[in-house]
Amino acid sequence: ANQLNAPPWKNTPHVGLVLGYSILLWLHIVPFFTPMHCLSAENSNNSLSMFGKLSLLFNSNRDFHSSHSSSLLCCRYNYAMSGFQTHEVQRNYCSGRVRIAFAGSWSTGKTYLLGGLLGHTYSTAQSAPAPTTDKFVCIAAGAPYSDPIRSDDYEQRRHCEIMEHVNDVVRSKCGGNGMPNVLDVADVNQEFSDFVFFDMIGWQTEYSAECNYRTFFHQLIDKVDFTYVVWDVNHGKIDDQFAEFFQNKARGVNYELIYNRFTKDTSNMAFLNQQYAKMSTGQEILSQMYTTKVHENNTQHALQFQDDILHLISKIKSVNQTVHDNRKKTMKENLKLHRDKITGMNSLRRLKICDRLIEDDLNLHVKPKTHHLKWLGLEL
């Protein structure tokens, strides 16, 4: 009779307090850990096993760290930008290969130029006086074989996945009709193993009314990193509709002109400038000295052709760093623009990752720091 009655909820308030404090503690600790799906092998082509992550603790090779660091960049960026879907990017965008297209009118020598760059014609290329390329061809260099990419070779196929993304847009805009003339090709060239080339069908005015033809051209030019417009005096008229694809782009930043089959005696810069005026909204005049030229590969100009190809190779390689820098600049601008709009339960974690990306990984003017513990999922 003198005993106290047990409270109806016993230790429930204490359990609730412990649980509440645990959640608060977890919310303050979790921002210092990389999201697990960014470290998962199921969601990243370049992620490491736990043994691989541990081995990084003892690896002092900066290039080794850098290559794996870039594989996490897109995932961490997308996590910070979750909720802003229009600004999320594909993982391959951050550290993927530089995508360069060769476009122009029919028979201006695009396929032949690519053969000069690769050191050989790619496996499906044809050689004839008439238009030789009847497909949009994606060429992934650095492969162990030179052939159309095998259906089960996902390592090479992923370099050309942009072709399917472009075709998805074409189908959505053209009543479900895609572009059937698309081919992915692997090539053994190792010099351009950081690049993907696109040999485009020569633009022909008679097909420009076809929705899938015109839309595929426009979308591919928009989505690659850089386009070389190949021009020669014999097939040099640039169609007005083709020129419109470049009117919102900057020469030297988004595209460049190549005066192909150039000969000093028959050069016609006035005609080239007349055609270039259709592509440009400014008043820029192209000069012979500062225009990329490739001589005709014949007995008279064989040595000059080789020098021109070497010069073009160096120009293409210089695009590499510019493209990756521009990718980082775009991501950094997006993070700064949307940082103050980040909300939700995981907002502290997203903000901390956002700040680390802005101040470290996406900062072009500061030497990247080596974070050994990052590979264990810890970011301090």
Side-chain angles (χ1 to χ4, degrees):
N2 295 325
Q3 293 180 353
L4 295 173
N5 293 327
W9 302 104
K10 296 187 178 179
N11 292 323
T12 302
H14 298 86
V15 172
L17 285 170
V18 171
L19 184 61
Y21 281 121
S22 297
I23 291 173
L24 285 173
L25 186 62
W26 178 81
L27 288 173
H28 282 80
I29 291 176
V30 76
F32 296 98
F33 287 85
T34 302
M36 287 305 296
H37 68 273
C38 291
L39 299 172
S40 170
E42 294 180 359
N43 293 297
S44 176
N45 292 323
N46 297 318
S47 57
L48 301 175
S49 64
M50 184 55 70
F51 176 78
K53 293 171 190 174
L54 288 171
S55 69
L56 280 168
L57 289 170
F58 307 102
N59 195 314
S60 59
N61 188 324
R62 240 169 237 181
D63 292 335
F64 186 60
H65 279 278
S66 177
S67 63
H68 292 289
S69 178
S70 62
S71 69
L72 293 175
L73 190 61
C74 270
C75 186
R76 293 165 67 226
Y77 169 84
N78 281 343
Y79 183 82
M81 293 293 287
S82 57
F84 307 105
Q85 283 83 3
T86 55
H87 294 286
E88 291 183 13
V89 297
Q90 189 186 32
R91 281 191 303 274
N92 202 35
Y93 176 82
C94 298
S95 57
R97 296 184 176 190
V98 175
R99 300 170 298 223
I100 295 182
F102 288 79
S105 301
W106 61 277
S107 290
T108 54
K110 299 179 290 295
T111 302
Y112 192 81
L113 268 183
L114 273 167
L117 293 171
L118 295 171
H120 51 261
T121 55
Y122 62 85
S123 62
T124 62
Q126 303 174 34
S127 178
T132 57
T133 305
D134 59 354
K135 296 179 177 65
F136 290 92
V137 183
C138 171
I139 306 158
Y145 60 92
S146 289
D147 263 322
I149 297 178
R150 299 160 190 162
S151 58
D152 60 346
D153 188 354
Y154 301 107
E155 177 62 26
Q156 301 304 323
R157 290 187 75 85
R158 69 186 179 91
H159 300 309
C160 292
E161 60 188 349
I162 186 177
M163 299 285 263
E164 187 56 35
H165 295 320
V166 169
N167 238 340
D168 286 342
V169 177
V170 173
R171 294 186 192 99
S172 68
K173 293 190 174 186
C174 301
N177 297 319
M179 172 57 71
N181 299 347
V182 175
L183 181 65
D184 300 338
V185 175
D187 194 89
V188 295
N189 177 283
Q190 296 297 319
E191 187 172 13
F192 291 106
S193 58
D194 290 332
F195 293 82
V196 179
F197 293 133
F198 297 88
D199 190 8
M200 300 179 67
I201 296 174
W203 177 266
Q204 298 188 58
T205 308
E206 54 266 34
Y207 299 120
S208 61
E210 297 180 12
C211 178
N212 56 352
Y213 180 86
R214 183 181 64 256
T215 306
F216 200 97
F217 255 97
H218 192 186
Q219 289 296 320
L220 187 58
I221 288 170
D222 269 356
K223 287 179 169 53
V224 295
D225 297 303
F226 200 85
T227 303
Y228 279 101
V229 179
V230 183
W231 185 90
D232 82 343
V233 72
N234 299 315
H235 306 87
K237 186 176 180 181
I238 296 176
D239 183 76
D240 291 349
Q241 291 189 56
F242 178 79
E244 287 176 3
F245 300 154
F246 298 90
Q247 286 179 356
N248 64 340
K249 301 181 183 297
R251 188 177 76 88
V253 177
N254 306 115
Y255 74 96
E256 188 58 85
L257 284 161
I258 296 177
Y259 190 150
N260 196 26
R261 298 166 182 153
F262 174 85
T263 56
K264 189 174 181 181
D265 297 335
T266 60
S267 65
N268 194 337
M269 293 302 296
F271 185 26
L272 175 57
N273 273 296
Q274 183 187 46
Q275 301 305 308
Y276 172 61
K278 301 176 184 179
M279 304 169 63
S280 172
T281 56
Q283 301 296 319
E284 181 185 14
I285 301 296
L286 300 176
S287 67
Q288 182 172 307
M289 180 179 294
Y290 296 107
T291 300
T292 302
K293 302 176 291 293
V294 178
H295 285 71
E296 183 81 48
N297 187 16
N298 54 28
T299 306
Q300 182 181 358
H301 299 109
L303 292 177
Q304 185 62 57
F305 174 80
Q306 293 299 325
D307 289 341
D308 293 341
I309 290 295
L310 290 174
H311 177 66
L312 184 57
I313 287 173
S314 66
K315 290 198 72 169
I316 290 174
K317 287 183 176 179
S318 71
V319 171
N320 192 348
Q321 188 60 49
T322 303
V323 166
H324 285 294
D325 285 352
N326 287 339
R327 290 175 181 178
K328 287 186 176 182
K329 287 176 184 176
T330 300
M331 294 164 69
K332 186 174 180 178
E333 288 169 3
N334 289 339
L335 288 168
K336 285 183 173 181
L337 183 64
H338 292 85
R339 186 187 182 282
D340 294 338
K341 301 175 186 177
I342 294 175
T343 58
M345 284 285 289
N346 61 348
S347 58
L348 181 59
R349 186 186 204 186
R350 290 168 61 196
L351 283 168
K352 284 189 175 292
I353 290 177
C354 178
D355 290 340
R356 281 194 291 271
L357 287 170
I358 292 172
E359 296 170 7
D360 188 5
D361 298 309
L362 298 177
N363 195 335
L364 302 178
H365 305 291
V366 176
K367 188 176 182 180
K369 298 176 183 176
T370 302
H371 299 291
H372 294 283
L373 296 178
K374 182 185 294 185
W375 306 105
L376 296 175
L378 190 62
E379 298 192 60
L380 294 176

